[in-house]
Amino acid sequence: MSGHSKWHSIKHKKGAADAKRGKIFTRLIKELTVAARTGGGDPDMNPRLRTIVQEAKQIKMPAENINRAISRGTGEEPGVSYEEAQYEGYGPGGAAVIVDVLTDNKNRTVGELRHLLEKHGGNLAAANAVAWMFHKKGYIVIEKTKADEEKLMTAVLDAGADDLQDDDDNWEVLSTPEAFPAVNEAVKKLGVEPATAQVSMIPQNYVKLEGKAAQQMVRLMEALEEHDDVQHVWSNFDISEKEIEASLA
């Protein structure tokens, strides 16, 4: 199983997602605002906004919160202006790290990210230092118990997916970022709710981490994901499920 998938699947099982619902709401409100600002407030005409609205509804965000965030993005309501930025770095053991942020103060955010990386055995790097190790892909994870392989494969490939991969307990569907909204919609039409569905930075190769480096990496991922300005963290670590669970305990 890929490190990224394994990490999120274990956190999901432990109920970490529910415990951090407030943090997830904050992330999605920022994403709704920026998506509406850049592509308009109509989800039918703005695929990026439509995908985020679906995610917000999936975690039962109130419609009022969704509409207010969109209105801030289109300028109908006053609100903070956020900038998108991506930072790159290295974690313990040389694992590559990419951090997507939405912030109202880039100088503050980059300083805080540098501090978190250094505190947990990593360091901030220059632009394009690690990005070349990843492919930007639509990435959907479906639990095997929720979908029939043949029906799922037919639906996603017809919708434009590149591949359906067997990942232990899950199916992983990969597509181009452009095809992702249609592929995600095809999965939902089967009555299947994905465990993960987003445009992701998928590593080309993985770095195996064990012992102290693995524990430090898990703590670094936790710290980065806790940061208010961080939207997504991508990494190419490969850590055993047992070590991840022990570090999260």
Side-chain angles (χ1 to χ4, degrees):
M1 188 188 280
S2 67
H4 184 74
S5 172
K6 197 189 308 176
W7 162 257
H8 285 285
S9 131
I10 290 170
K11 285 185 69 184
H12 182 68
K13 285 176 190 169
K14 287 181 144 317
D18 287 339
K20 294 179 182 176
R21 180 164 288 186
K23 162 69 175 170
I24 296 168
F25 275 22
T26 302
R27 171 176 70 78
L28 289 174
I29 284 168
K30 286 184 179 181
E31 288 189 9
L32 288 164
T33 301
V34 171
R37 189 182 73 208
T38 56
D42 182 356
D44 291 334
M45 303 298 292
N46 184 342
R48 179 183 177 187
L49 180 62
R50 184 165 64 247
T51 299
I52 301 164
V53 168
Q54 287 173 347
E55 188 179 347
K57 287 179 177 177
Q58 186 179 327
I59 62 161
K60 298 181 171 53
M61 180 184 286
E64 182 185 348
N65 295 35
I66 296 171
N67 294 333
R68 191 182 303 128
I70 293 171
S71 294
R72 285 179 187 144
T74 56
E76 296 167 64
E77 282 194 27
V80 177
S81 180
Y82 297 108
E83 285 184 277
E84 293 181 275
Q86 187 173 84
Y87 298 103
E88 300 175 37
Y90 294 96
V97 179
I98 296 178
V99 186
D100 288 337
V101 306
L102 283 175
T103 177
D104 58 354
N105 186 330
K106 281 186 177 179
N107 289 335
R108 180 199 69 229
T109 300
V110 73
E112 290 172 355
L113 292 182
R114 181 181 289 110
H115 171 72
L116 285 176
L117 282 158
E118 291 175 353
K119 180 180 177 182
H120 295 282
N123 61 276
L124 203 63
N128 297 317
V130 303
W132 62 271
M133 302 179 193
F134 296 77
H135 291 304
K136 194 171 189 180
K137 293 276 190 182
Y139 179 66
I140 303 173
V141 178
I142 299 128
E143 293 172 35
K144 282 187 178 176
T145 54
K146 293 187 176 178
D148 174 77
E149 179 185 5
E150 196 169 322
K151 288 180 183 176
L152 179 63
M153 181 176 288
T154 300
V156 298
L157 293 180
D158 285 351
D162 294 334
D163 197 11
L164 175 69
Q165 297 180 353
D166 186 334
D167 189 19
D168 291 345
D169 296 332
N170 303 309
W171 300 115
E172 290 187 337
V173 182
L174 298 172
S175 70
T176 63
E178 294 74 24
F180 170 74
V183 176
N184 192 33
E185 194 63 33
V187 171
K188 297 199 171 191
K189 280 181 179 173
L190 293 174
V192 176
E193 200 58 59
T196 298
Q198 58 190 188
V199 175
S200 304
M201 299 297 285
I202 304 295
Q204 298 180 49
N205 296 291
Y206 288 86
V207 175
K208 180 73 176 171
L209 297 179
E210 297 176 324
K212 184 181 178 183
Q215 293 166 16
Q216 281 185 306
M217 190 72 218
V218 170
R219 286 196 291 269
L220 172 60
M221 290 291 289
E222 285 269 274
L224 289 171
E225 289 187 349
E226 284 285 338
H227 192 285
D228 286 343
D229 294 338
V230 171
Q231 300 298 101
H232 301 287
V233 186
W234 318 109
S235 180
N236 65 348
F237 67 80
D238 178 15
I239 302 174
S240 74
E241 287 196 37
K242 187 182 286 188
E243 291 215 65
I244 292 177
E245 287 178 338
S247 299
L248 287 171

